[in-house]
Amino acid sequence: MNVLDSELVVGALRNEGYELTDDIKQADTVLFNTCSVREHAEHKIYSQLGRMKFSKRYRPNQVIGVMGCMAQKDQKKIFERAPHVDIVVGTGQLGEIPELVDQARSNRRRSLAVSLGRRDGSRNQVAQSFESYDPLRDPEMRPSPFQAYVRIMIGCDKFCTYCVVPTTRGPEQSRPPSHIASEVRTLAGQGVKEVTLLGQTVNSYKHTEDGQLYRLSELLELIHDTDGIERIKFVTNYPRDMTVDLLEAVRDLKKVSRYLHVPAQSGCNEMLKAMKRGYTVEEYREMMERINSIVPRAAVSSDFIVGFCGETDEAFEKSMDLIRECRFKNSFIFKYSARPGTKADDMMPDDIPEDVKRERNNRMLDLQNMISEEDNAEFIGEQVEVLVEGPSKQAIKSGEADGDALKTQLVGRTDCDRIVVFEGNPRLAGSLTNVEVHDCTATTLIGSIVTREVQHGSGELLPILS
Ligand code: 5AD
Ligand code: SF4
């Protein structure tokens, strides 16, 4: 969500005549897009801001801004800790940034643009103060010309006790299906092949338009036949909303990726209850069975929090058991970080020592990596269809992908979101290509392009080297 926000804000500023620079010393405007999910992310921003303390001495016209979740959460506190900041803009006011930057430069007054707190008005008032920010796209700003994020909802109403998101991104609000469909058509017209639908709990999507209720399954159907779109993904899912209609849509709509990110957070019922996740581990298991029976060979990934308040060794082992049982494609593992303003921070002591959190984190990572590598090894000898993204990071770093190289290391993803690297012509970027897998690591399949054969006019078969 933050990557998309940055892309859209930079696009809006470019429309106003701004240009991007790689050199912060050259910048007239410096904007920090921020995350509040864990304390560490906030520390990084405050320390970056600290480094800019004297920056205006050399560029008196410089405007420094903080946008996103931390802006919504800390508000005026940011000016107190970093008096050289000019604008603080929450997640619901991103559309105002070009104007706020201009004003800050012309009148040198600070401005704070944030939404209401969750208890500062009726649900409607609070919801209205958070506006979904989805302006027309600037195709040049996309990280890849073939892939794009599309926001389908904002906010969250689940209020897991550890999580700051319902405060920083406000009430759950779904965008109208017609707006989403039109954005997808525009993107396809710009050459996008893969869209990833975004929402904090994307499968809780619900919107009534012209008397028809659209859930995520109906929305997927609505956009599925958009010309030019080859793949559709959606993140992040909430386990309780992983309904049969959605899984059937994933099974039946061939452009929809067989990849489901459904965070479990813990494998222990006491922890799930303390986290207020709204399901038991038995219900999570039932959901996994549902996934496996309706969408065979779907890749499922998860998030886990280790060292949550009161997590005993036994509770932690139950999370390890769930990983062994579900064999997730991958898991994002986080050490619990107490967040001010959340119920867990108010009511429960953060009582697991840092070294225990670290040790659990490492053990869980080792287990998950072992499973990921074992499951990736099953692909060795198989052919997978890959949407080619372009030269791999390694190829770009080594300069190998520069110029008119005919072959370089390319990277792409399978239908089940597995990363694949292989040699090929950079012009293949954006195409679907078959790759035969001959090796793997825990995170990557390694292979080579399968030579295609096409029927020539004379009926003779000509091999084509991709
Ligand atoms: N501490 C640690 N991890 C957290 N997450 C959310 N809040 C916290 C927190 N306070 C993790 C959850 C979520 C992911 C995006 O971040 O696992 O799914
Ligand atoms: Fe946070 Fe829970 Fe909402 Fe996810 S579902 S964003 S963890 S409150």
Side-chain angles (χ1 to χ4, degrees):
M1 200 65 102
N2 272 5
V3 171
L4 174 62
D5 285 341
S6 295
E7 178 191 325
L8 296 176
V9 167
V10 173
L13 286 168
R14 274 166 52 104
N15 266 347
E16 302 289 315
Y18 289 82
E19 272 173 43
L20 275 174
T21 170
D22 288 336
D23 179 5
I24 199 165
K25 290 202 193 92
Q26 299 289 321
D28 295 314
T29 305
V30 181
L31 292 175
F32 291 92
N33 192 10
T34 58
C35 173
S36 285
V37 168
R38 285 167 292 275
E39 194 181 11
H40 180 62
E42 296 192 343
H43 279 324
K44 283 208 292 206
I45 294 292
Y46 279 118
S47 94
Q48 289 269 4
L49 285 172
R51 260 182 252 153
M52 297 206 66
K53 205 162 161 186
F54 302 115
S55 174
K56 283 188 199 155
R57 277 199 196 156
Y58 308 101
R59 288 199 161 253
N61 262 336
Q62 191 172 57
V63 173
I64 302 176
V66 176
M67 60 185 249
C69 287
M70 210 177 109
Q72 178 62 37
K73 175 176 153 284
D74 284 1
Q75 306 194 355
K76 278 197 211 120
K77 235 192 294 171
I78 297 178
F79 295 130
E80 284 155 24
R81 283 185 68 170
H84 49 297
V85 169
D86 300 285
I87 62 171
V88 169
V89 187
T91 54
Q93 287 71 30
L94 299 180
E96 297 172 29
I97 285 184
E99 204 185 322
L100 292 172
V101 171
D102 270 358
Q103 277 174 14
R105 200 173 334 271
S106 54
N107 65 23
R108 301 290 355 158
R109 270 211 317 267
R110 280 183 186 151
S111 55
L112 172 72
V114 288
S115 302
L116 294 175
R118 293 287 307 235
R119 292 201 197 99
D120 294 343
S122 68
R123 190 186 189 282
N124 246 352
Q125 287 167 328
V126 179
Q128 269 171 20
S129 75
F130 281 89
E131 220 173 283
S132 187
Y133 180 57
D134 309 286
L136 277 180
R137 303 302 185 87
D138 174 348
E140 275 183 56
M141 284 326 300
R142 269 200 303 278
S144 142
F146 314 108
Q147 296 166 300
Y149 291 123
V150 175
R151 201 189 318 268
I152 67 164
M153 57 189 296
I154 58 169
C156 182
D157 285 343
K158 306 295 189 286
F159 285 100
C160 302
T161 55
Y162 52 81
C163 183
V164 82
V165 168
T167 318
T168 58
R169 290 205 175 255
E172 210 166 281
Q173 301 184 71
S174 297
R175 287 179 71 204
S178 57
H179 293 195
I180 297 166
S182 132
E183 192 171 326
V184 172
R185 275 195 302 275
T186 307
L187 289 165
Q190 295 170 349
V192 167
K193 302 271 168 78
E194 176 188 280
V195 287
T196 302
L197 310 181
L198 295 183
Q200 262 75 36
T201 52
V202 73
N203 56 340
S204 313
Y205 177 87
K206 217 178 255 175
H207 199 287
T208 303
E209 196 169 53
D210 299 330
Q212 192 194 333
L213 171 71
Y214 287 84
R215 296 166 296 175
L216 181 56
S217 53
E218 282 98 10
L219 182 71
L220 288 171
E221 218 178 307
L222 178 74
I223 62 172
H224 185 262
D225 293 333
T226 311
D227 278 344
I229 298 296
E230 312 250 18
R231 265 199 197 157
I232 304 171
K233 297 185 197 170
F234 52 90
V235 284
T236 280
N237 294 283
Y238 186 60
R240 271 180 66 161
D241 291 329
M242 204 43 113
T243 48
V244 171
D245 61 291
L246 176 57
L247 294 172
E248 287 178 348
V250 175
R251 179 195 63 196
D252 299 339
L253 299 170
K254 71 176 194 340
K255 294 180 184 172
V256 176
S257 248
R258 291 171 167 243
Y259 162 63
L260 301 166
H261 180 240
V262 207
Q265 311 296 2
S266 169
C268 164
N269 279 336
E270 285 75 40
M271 289 295 103
L272 289 171
K273 197 163 174 210
M275 291 174 170
K276 205 174 146 276
R277 282 291 286 176
Y279 52 84
T280 60
V281 70
E282 290 76 23
E283 285 166 330
Y284 190 89
R285 284 199 186 102
E286 277 166 28
M287 178 208 71
M288 280 300 287
E289 279 165 24
R290 218 161 42 238
I291 294 177
N292 290 330
S293 72
I294 302 178
V295 197
R297 294 202 67 170
V300 180
S301 63
S302 183
D303 291 355
F304 282 90
I305 296 178
V306 296
F308 185 61
C309 316
E311 187 187 63
T312 58
D313 283 339
E314 293 75 43
F316 170 70
E317 289 305 330
K318 288 182 181 165
S319 293
M320 298 284 273
D321 289 342
L322 189 67
I323 292 182
R324 281 186 202 102
E325 212 179 298
C326 296
R327 297 190 72 84
F328 297 109
K329 175 181 81 91
N330 64 292
S331 291
F332 300 97
I333 300 161
F334 307 102
K335 291 178 285 175
Y336 171 60
S337 163
R339 306 292 37 235
T342 59
K343 201 160 170 207
D345 188 48
D346 285 349
M347 321 276 286
M348 297 173 232
D350 179 12
D351 53 359
I352 308 301
E354 184 56 31
D355 56 333
V356 176
K357 285 183 184 170
R358 197 176 322 122
E359 203 250 341
R360 289 181 185 169
N361 189 328
N362 292 341
R363 278 190 54 209
M364 195 177 265
L365 259 180
D366 287 346
L367 172 65
Q368 178 60 60
N369 280 341
M370 191 184 83
I371 291 171
S372 302
E373 193 166 340
E374 280 172 9
D375 285 0
N376 277 350
E378 301 265 305
F379 285 85
I380 295 176
E382 276 195 31
Q383 277 188 26
V384 290
E385 192 183 51
V386 175
L387 180 66
V388 185
E389 292 174 8
S392 68
K393 273 192 196 138
Q394 200 188 323
I396 295 170
K397 216 163 127 196
S398 68
E400 196 193 299
D402 294 348
D404 295 326
L406 285 181
K407 257 196 178 177
T408 185
Q409 189 182 61
L410 300 175
V411 66
R413 278 178 198 255
T414 66
D415 170 46
C416 55
D417 205 50
R418 287 184 162 84
I419 299 169
V420 189
V421 297
F422 49 96
E423 290 249 299
N425 189 320
R427 284 172 193 271
L428 285 172
S431 67
L432 283 169
T433 302
N434 286 329
V435 172
E436 183 166 315
V437 179
H438 33 74
D439 201 0
C440 74
T441 67
T443 53
T444 313
L445 302 178
I446 302 154
S448 52
I449 289 181
V450 180
T451 307
R452 284 178 287 167
E453 295 204 331
V454 294
Q455 197 86 30
H456 195 245
S458 63
E460 173 195 3
L461 279 178
L462 286 183
I464 302 268
L465 274 182
S466 304

